[in-house]
Amino acid sequence: MESLKGKKIFITGATSGIGKSCAYKFAEAGADLILAARRESHLKDICIDLKRKYKVNADWIILDVRNYDEVRKSVDNLPEENKNISILVNNAGLARGLSKLHEGSVLDWEEMIDTNVKGLLFVSKCIIPLMLKNNYGHIINIGSVAGREVYPMGNVYCATKHAVDAITKSMRMELVDTNIRVTTIDPGLVETEFSIVRYRGNKERAKTAYAGMKPLTPDNVAETIIFAATRDDNFVIAEMVLLPKAQASAMIVNRKTE
Ligand code: NDP
Ligand code: 8X3
């Protein structure tokens, strides 16, 4: 089993949900962290808490993954001791809205494509060369069941997650002759800020996503990521799909009604 002690982990979207849980689980395992997202106060609070609780190094960068120049500069400007990145968790992502294509918002589409697809590409493009230089690395992309199936009104979000699946597979092929592993973790319904973001702060509507069923927790996903990150280095967990017990596919969810 690979130890995480002292390894440097770069997590995008670390201010909430799955990314934040990953930060805590990696820190608990003794890893050092570089956390990236846009909300500085959240990043700062999480880093202070991680250092206090787990005595690890935890640094943050304010980063909008949609902006290539910003990503490039942030990675270039990392202090030398932070360039030794062992694991990249490409987690930043979001859905906006749920509507038929002809009724959809072009701005929402752009935000999803820019964040989920281009953001993941930009961050990977900047960090893979550091891993190649160190001849070590593990890229863990957060896909989704929406990257394996589609559902009505999920058109563009599903397309972005299918793109993540395609990019992951391609990356694994391109890096097969290196010491870099590539994994995708594809969850079903996880209760995070995801649905609140999708419905632009409408908490009542967000709750309907998880009505009458017990969703995955961000910790369920983070623990699986830790499992994938700590396997012996002669193999890679290429893909994992995680579903709540009450979910059988993107569309089939057993909801109890009272
Ligand atoms: P959350 O909304 O709780 O977290 C999303 C994170 O992404 C936040 O930390 C947010 O930080 C960050 N983020 C969003 N946009 C940007 C950006 N432009 N630049 C940098 N960071 C950004 O949702 P989840 O934890 O659920 O989502 C994490 C990943 O999991 C996403 O890729 C999502 O698609 C995927 N997923 C989620 C599922 C679910 O049911 N929740 C199921 C399957 C996959 P900030 O706003 O501070 O920038
Ligand atoms: C998030 C899961 O079902 O809302 O990727 O698309 S779903």
Side-chain angles (χ1 to χ4, degrees):
M1 198 172 122
E2 290 272 290
S3 165
L4 293 170
K5 218 166 184 53
K7 285 210 171 120
K8 191 75 67 187
I9 322 293
F10 190 105
I11 305 173
T12 66
T15 48
S16 159
I18 296 168
K20 180 174 171 183
S21 280
C22 283
Y24 278 83
K25 294 287 172 193
F26 275 111
E28 196 179 6
D32 293 331
L33 294 147
I34 306 168
L35 305 184
R38 294 164 301 177
R39 287 173 289 179
E40 186 179 14
S41 62
H42 287 53
L43 288 167
K44 193 175 164 195
D45 291 348
I46 293 168
C47 284
I48 290 170
D49 197 39
L50 292 176
K51 284 183 197 168
R52 188 180 51 81
K53 275 199 181 119
Y54 302 112
K55 317 286 173 233
V56 293
N57 295 316
D59 295 325
W60 77 85
I61 46 179
I62 307 161
L63 184 66
D64 186 332
V65 296
R66 294 171 296 177
N67 183 325
Y68 179 66
D69 287 342
E70 211 181 288
V71 175
R72 173 87 276 158
K73 276 187 200 133
S74 301
V75 174
D76 284 351
N77 292 338
L78 283 172
E80 271 321 301
E81 70 273 14
N82 272 355
K83 287 193 169 154
N84 196 14
I85 295 165
S86 295
I87 299 175
L88 163 63
V89 183
N90 268 321
N91 162 76
L94 82 181
R96 286 292 194 194
L98 191 68
S99 49
K100 292 181 182 172
L101 193 122
H102 61 279
E103 292 165 353
S105 147
V106 172
L107 285 180
D108 285 351
W109 300 350
E110 284 174 344
E111 191 176 4
M112 289 187 273
I113 293 167
D114 287 351
T115 310
N116 302 357
V117 184
K118 289 162 74 179
L120 182 143
L121 291 170
F122 295 161
V123 174
S124 305
K125 177 173 170 59
C126 295
I127 290 184
I128 290 171
L130 301 180
M131 291 179 166
L132 287 171
K133 211 164 149 194
N134 297 325
N135 194 30
Y136 185 85
H138 194 162
I139 299 163
I140 302 178
N141 292 334
I142 309 305
S144 169
V145 288
R148 293 168 174 264
E149 303 170 49
V150 292
Y151 50 88
M153 305 199 279
N155 40 60
V156 175
Y157 178 70
C158 294
T160 65
K161 289 297 178 178
H162 275 69
V164 170
D165 184 50
I167 294 163
T168 304
K169 287 180 174 137
S170 195
M171 268 184 184
R172 193 177 306 112
M173 290 173 186
E174 290 156 14
L175 296 170
V176 71
D177 60 347
T178 73
N179 201 22
I180 301 177
R181 293 186 277 185
V182 183
T183 296
T184 181
I185 303 289
D186 296 346
L189 292 161
V190 193
E191 190 160 14
T192 61
E193 290 179 12
F194 180 85
S195 293
I196 298 170
V197 171
R198 176 172 232 167
Y199 301 121
R200 295 197 179 274
N202 184 337
K203 291 194 176 157
E204 283 314 302
R205 190 164 178 207
K207 268 193 213 148
T208 62
Y210 318 108
M213 56 89 65
K214 204 169 164 192
L216 293 165
T217 65
D219 279 355
N220 293 151
V221 183
E223 279 160 12
T224 309
I225 291 168
I226 297 288
F227 180 78
T230 50
R231 292 312 85 203
D232 286 347
D233 76 353
N234 64 315
F235 78 106
V236 59
I237 292 189
E239 318 183 331
M240 265 202 196
V241 180
L242 319 182
L243 295 173
K245 225 162 37 186
Q247 184 173 18
S249 74
M251 293 279 291
I252 299 173
V253 181
N254 181 33
R255 297 185 192 274
K256 302 251 183 303
T257 47
E258 278 142 69

PDB file of all heavy atoms in Angstrom, residues 143-146 151 157 187-189 194 198 247 250, ligand 2:
ATOM      1  N   GLY A 143     -15.526  12.328 -12.371  1.00  0.00           N
ATOM      2  CA  GLY A 143     -16.525  12.266 -13.443  1.00  0.00           C
ATOM      3  C   GLY A 143     -17.904  12.244 -12.832  1.00  0.00           C
ATOM      4  O   GLY A 143     -18.197  12.999 -11.902  1.00  0.00           O
ATOM      5  N   SER A 144     -18.731  11.349 -13.314  1.00  0.00           N
ATOM      6  CA  SER A 144     -20.099  11.248 -12.782  1.00  0.00           C
ATOM      7  C   SER A 144     -20.813  10.106 -13.500  1.00  0.00           C
ATOM      8  O   SER A 144     -20.404   9.727 -14.608  1.00  0.00           O
ATOM      9  CB  SER A 144     -20.858  12.551 -13.067  1.00  0.00           C
ATOM     10  OG  SER A 144     -22.243  12.401 -12.804  1.00  0.00           O
ATOM     11  N   VAL A 145     -21.901   9.619 -12.900  1.00  0.00           N
ATOM     12  CA  VAL A 145     -22.761   8.705 -13.683  1.00  0.00           C
ATOM     13  C   VAL A 145     -23.255   9.438 -14.930  1.00  0.00           C
ATOM     14  O   VAL A 145     -23.527   8.814 -15.950  1.00  0.00           O
ATOM     15  CB  VAL A 145     -23.972   8.161 -12.886  1.00  0.00           C
ATOM     16  CG1 VAL A 145     -23.534   7.157 -11.837  1.00  0.00           C
ATOM     17  CG2 VAL A 145     -24.786   9.263 -12.252  1.00  0.00           C
ATOM     18  N   ALA A 146     -23.314  10.766 -14.834  1.00  0.00           N
ATOM     19  CA  ALA A 146     -23.744  11.569 -15.993  1.00  0.00           C
ATOM     20  C   ALA A 146     -22.697  11.558 -17.110  1.00  0.00           C
ATOM     21  O   ALA A 146     -22.954  12.066 -18.199  1.00  0.00           O
ATOM     22  CB  ALA A 146     -24.031  13.004 -15.553  1.00  0.00           C
ATOM     23  N   TYR A 151     -29.461  11.814 -19.197  1.00  0.00           N
ATOM     24  CA  TYR A 151     -30.860  11.899 -18.760  1.00  0.00           C
ATOM     25  C   TYR A 151     -31.476  13.139 -19.385  1.00  0.00           C
ATOM     26  O   TYR A 151     -30.756  14.098 -19.705  1.00  0.00           O
ATOM     27  CB  TYR A 151     -30.982  11.893 -17.225  1.00  0.00           C
ATOM     28  CG  TYR A 151     -30.093  12.885 -16.496  1.00  0.00           C
ATOM     29  CD1 TYR A 151     -30.499  14.189 -16.238  1.00  0.00           C
ATOM     30  CD2 TYR A 151     -28.831  12.502 -16.056  1.00  0.00           C
ATOM     31  CE1 TYR A 151     -29.676  15.084 -15.559  1.00  0.00           C
ATOM     32  CE2 TYR A 151     -27.998  13.387 -15.387  1.00  0.00           C
ATOM     33  CZ  TYR A 151     -28.434  14.673 -15.135  1.00  0.00           C
ATOM     34  OH  TYR A 151     -27.624  15.562 -14.470  1.00  0.00           O
ATOM     35  N   TYR A 157     -24.688  19.274 -19.195  1.00  0.00           N
ATOM     36  CA  TYR A 157     -23.922  18.743 -18.044  1.00  0.00           C
ATOM     37  C   TYR A 157     -23.433  17.327 -18.367  1.00  0.00           C
ATOM     38  O   TYR A 157     -22.260  16.996 -18.157  1.00  0.00           O
ATOM     39  CB  TYR A 157     -24.769  18.760 -16.760  1.00  0.00           C
ATOM     40  CG  TYR A 157     -24.009  18.181 -15.589  1.00  0.00           C
ATOM     41  CD1 TYR A 157     -22.926  18.872 -15.024  1.00  0.00           C
ATOM     42  CD2 TYR A 157     -24.312  16.916 -15.082  1.00  0.00           C
ATOM     43  CE1 TYR A 157     -22.187  18.326 -13.976  1.00  0.00           C
ATOM     44  CE2 TYR A 157     -23.586  16.359 -14.036  1.00  0.00           C
ATOM     45  CZ  TYR A 157     -22.527  17.074 -13.482  1.00  0.00           C
ATOM     46  OH  TYR A 157     -21.788  16.535 -12.445  1.00  0.00           O
ATOM     47  N   PRO A 187     -19.332   9.327  -9.300  1.00  0.00           N
ATOM     48  CA  PRO A 187     -20.424   9.139  -8.347  1.00  0.00           C
ATOM     49  C   PRO A 187     -21.802   9.393  -8.951  1.00  0.00           C
ATOM     50  O   PRO A 187     -21.942  10.125  -9.937  1.00  0.00           O
ATOM     51  CB  PRO A 187     -20.147  10.197  -7.260  1.00  0.00           C
ATOM     52  CG  PRO A 187     -18.882  10.896  -7.637  1.00  0.00           C
ATOM     53  CD  PRO A 187     -18.641  10.611  -9.085  1.00  0.00           C
ATOM     54  N   GLY A 188     -22.803   8.791  -8.286  1.00  0.00           N
ATOM     55  CA  GLY A 188     -24.202   9.174  -8.525  1.00  0.00           C
ATOM     56  C   GLY A 188     -24.537  10.336  -7.607  1.00  0.00           C
ATOM     57  O   GLY A 188     -23.685  11.210  -7.384  1.00  0.00           O
ATOM     58  N   LEU A 189     -25.731  10.334  -7.053  1.00  0.00           N
ATOM     59  CA  LEU A 189     -26.172  11.492  -6.248  1.00  0.00           C
ATOM     60  C   LEU A 189     -25.382  11.639  -4.948  1.00  0.00           C
ATOM     61  O   LEU A 189     -25.369  10.725  -4.118  1.00  0.00           O
ATOM     62  CB  LEU A 189     -27.659  11.337  -5.912  1.00  0.00           C
ATOM     63  CG  LEU A 189     -28.622  11.454  -7.103  1.00  0.00           C
ATOM     64  CD1 LEU A 189     -29.984  10.840  -6.773  1.00  0.00           C
ATOM     65  CD2 LEU A 189     -28.791  12.926  -7.500  1.00  0.00           C
ATOM     66  N   PHE A 194     -23.845  21.055  -4.706  1.00  0.00           N
ATOM     67  CA  PHE A 194     -24.045  20.874  -6.144  1.00  0.00           C
ATOM     68  C   PHE A 194     -25.445  21.304  -6.621  1.00  0.00           C
ATOM     69  O   PHE A 194     -25.573  22.072  -7.581  1.00  0.00           O
ATOM     70  CB  PHE A 194     -23.796  19.390  -6.477  1.00  0.00           C
ATOM     71  CG  PHE A 194     -23.964  19.017  -7.914  1.00  0.00           C
ATOM     72  CD1 PHE A 194     -22.924  19.180  -8.823  1.00  0.00           C
ATOM     73  CD2 PHE A 194     -25.161  18.480  -8.384  1.00  0.00           C
ATOM     74  CE1 PHE A 194     -23.070  18.812 -10.160  1.00  0.00           C
ATOM     75  CE2 PHE A 194     -25.314  18.116  -9.708  1.00  0.00           C
ATOM     76  CZ  PHE A 194     -24.273  18.288 -10.601  1.00  0.00           C
ATOM     77  N   ARG A 198     -26.718  24.312  -8.836  1.00  0.00           N
ATOM     78  CA  ARG A 198     -27.463  24.027 -10.075  1.00  0.00           C
ATOM     79  C   ARG A 198     -28.724  24.899 -10.156  1.00  0.00           C
ATOM     80  O   ARG A 198     -29.053  25.419 -11.200  1.00  0.00           O
ATOM     81  CB  ARG A 198     -27.846  22.536 -10.105  1.00  0.00           C
ATOM     82  CG  ARG A 198     -28.687  22.167 -11.292  1.00  0.00           C
ATOM     83  CD  ARG A 198     -28.886  20.647 -11.419  1.00  0.00           C
ATOM     84  NE  ARG A 198     -28.534  20.232 -12.752  1.00  0.00           N
ATOM     85  CZ  ARG A 198     -28.339  18.993 -13.159  1.00  0.00           C
ATOM     86  NH1 ARG A 198     -28.449  17.996 -12.327  1.00  0.00           N
ATOM     87  NH2 ARG A 198     -28.041  18.727 -14.407  1.00  0.00           N
ATOM     88  N   GLN A 247     -29.984   4.062  -5.625  1.00  0.00           N
ATOM     89  CA  GLN A 247     -29.863   4.512  -7.016  1.00  0.00           C
ATOM     90  C   GLN A 247     -29.281   3.375  -7.858  1.00  0.00           C
ATOM     91  O   GLN A 247     -28.242   2.806  -7.512  1.00  0.00           O
ATOM     92  CB  GLN A 247     -28.946   5.745  -7.103  1.00  0.00           C
ATOM     93  CG  GLN A 247     -28.856   6.331  -8.506  1.00  0.00           C
ATOM     94  CD  GLN A 247     -28.077   7.650  -8.565  1.00  0.00           C
ATOM     95  OE1 GLN A 247     -27.317   7.972  -7.648  1.00  0.00           O
ATOM     96  NE2 GLN A 247     -28.245   8.388  -9.642  1.00  0.00           N
ATOM     97  N   ALA A 250     -28.511   6.585 -13.578  1.00  0.00           N
ATOM     98  CA  ALA A 250     -28.740   8.031 -13.484  1.00  0.00           C
ATOM     99  C   ALA A 250     -30.239   8.324 -13.286  1.00  0.00           C
ATOM    100  O   ALA A 250     -30.621   9.233 -12.552  1.00  0.00           O
ATOM    101  CB  ALA A 250     -28.228   8.718 -14.741  1.00  0.00           C
TER     102      ALA A 250
HETATM  103  C1  8X3 B   2     -24.066  14.753 -10.628  1.00  0.00           C
HETATM  104  C2  8X3 B   2     -25.051  13.641 -10.594  1.00  0.00           C
HETATM  105  O1  8X3 B   2     -27.310  12.842 -11.433  1.00  0.00           O
HETATM  106  O2  8X3 B   2     -27.135  15.174 -10.789  1.00  0.00           O
HETATM  107  O3  8X3 B   2     -23.046  14.491 -11.519  1.00  0.00           O
HETATM  108  O4  8X3 B   2     -26.132  14.400 -12.832  1.00  0.00           O
HETATM  109  S1  8X3 B   2     -26.484  14.055 -11.462  1.00  0.00           S
END
